[in-house]
Amino acid sequence: MEELFDGLLNDHLGFVVWSTVAFVLLLILLGKFAWKPIMAAITERERSIEDALLKAEAAKEEMARLTNENEQLLKEARAERDLILREARQMKDQIVNEAKDAAQEEGARMIEKARLEINSQKAVALAAVKSQVAELSIEIAEKVLRKQFQNKTEQDALVADLLRDVKVN
């Protein structure tokens, strides 16, 4: 057994030593040339991820702030819209009322003008009728008088009747 152990140890001892030397050499080379750049890349990657996370958090906070501002602006815009609509309704009501008042005044003025015109036309028509009645009365009286004055006795009787009426009055 010892022989087997000595054989294994002697045969493989060189392999173990060279393997260990190669491994140590590989560790030194990796440590000098690869380990620092790999660790620097990993550190840089961690830093860029942290920066991205910080930027994302800042963007999230900015978005929340902007959302709050937008909501506030929206509330203000709605309040201003309501105020403008209320003022517009009041202005519309005022304009409608003024238009109604103006229409009523104009209607009353037109009715009064028409009434005055009707009264004026009525007076003119009455004057014309009176004039025509007077002319007709004169014509009738003239015809009656001509007829009555053809006869002398009838003239005397008419004058007597007229004198009696004058005395009675």
Side-chain angles (χ1 to χ4, degrees):
M1 188 95 141
E2 203 172 293
E3 289 176 16
L4 183 62
F5 188 66
D6 281 339
L8 281 173
L9 194 58
N10 285 338
D11 289 338
H12 293 295
L13 185 61
F15 179 72
V16 170
V17 169
W18 284 112
S19 293
T20 305
V21 169
F23 183 71
V24 169
L25 186 62
L26 180 64
L27 281 178
I28 292 172
L29 285 175
L30 283 176
K32 182 158 184 121
F33 296 109
W35 191 259
K36 287 182 184 178
I38 289 172
M39 288 307 290
I42 289 174
T43 304
E44 181 62 30
R45 179 72 178 151
E46 283 178 355
R47 203 172 312 121
S48 70
I49 290 172
E50 284 179 18
D51 287 346
L53 287 174
L54 290 175
K55 287 179 182 177
E57 185 64 30
K60 182 179 175 184
E61 289 173 3
E62 181 68 16
M63 186 62 103
R65 186 186 65 78
L66 289 174
T67 301
N68 288 338
E69 284 181 14
N70 285 343
E71 288 175 3
Q72 184 64 29
L73 288 173
L74 188 59
K75 285 179 186 177
E76 290 173 5
R78 285 181 181 147
E80 188 172 340
R81 177 202 64 194
D82 291 343
L83 177 65
I84 290 170
L85 287 175
R86 191 174 324 113
E87 288 175 354
R89 277 190 219 106
Q90 289 173 349
M91 192 177 298
K92 177 198 72 151
D93 291 343
Q94 181 182 358
I95 290 171
V96 167
N97 289 336
E98 288 174 359
K100 282 181 184 178
D101 293 344
Q104 286 176 348
E105 289 176 11
E106 183 64 24
R109 194 170 31 255
M110 290 174 70
I111 289 170
E112 183 62 24
K113 184 178 178 183
R115 189 182 61 76
L116 291 174
E117 183 68 26
I118 289 169
N119 287 339
S120 172
Q121 293 294 326
K122 183 179 171 183
V124 168
L126 282 175
V129 167
K130 285 180 182 180
S131 174
Q132 286 179 351
V133 167
E135 287 177 15
L136 285 174
S137 297
I138 290 173
E139 284 179 23
I140 291 171
E142 185 182 326
K143 287 180 183 178
V144 166
L145 287 175
R146 278 192 190 152
K147 189 175 185 184
Q148 287 190 356
F149 286 139
Q150 288 174 357
N151 184 350
K152 180 76 175 148
T153 31
E154 287 179 6
Q155 266 183 358
D156 290 337
L158 180 60
V159 169
D161 282 341
L162 287 175
L163 285 175
R164 264 195 317 260
D165 286 341
V166 170
K167 288 179 186 176
V168 173
N169 288 335

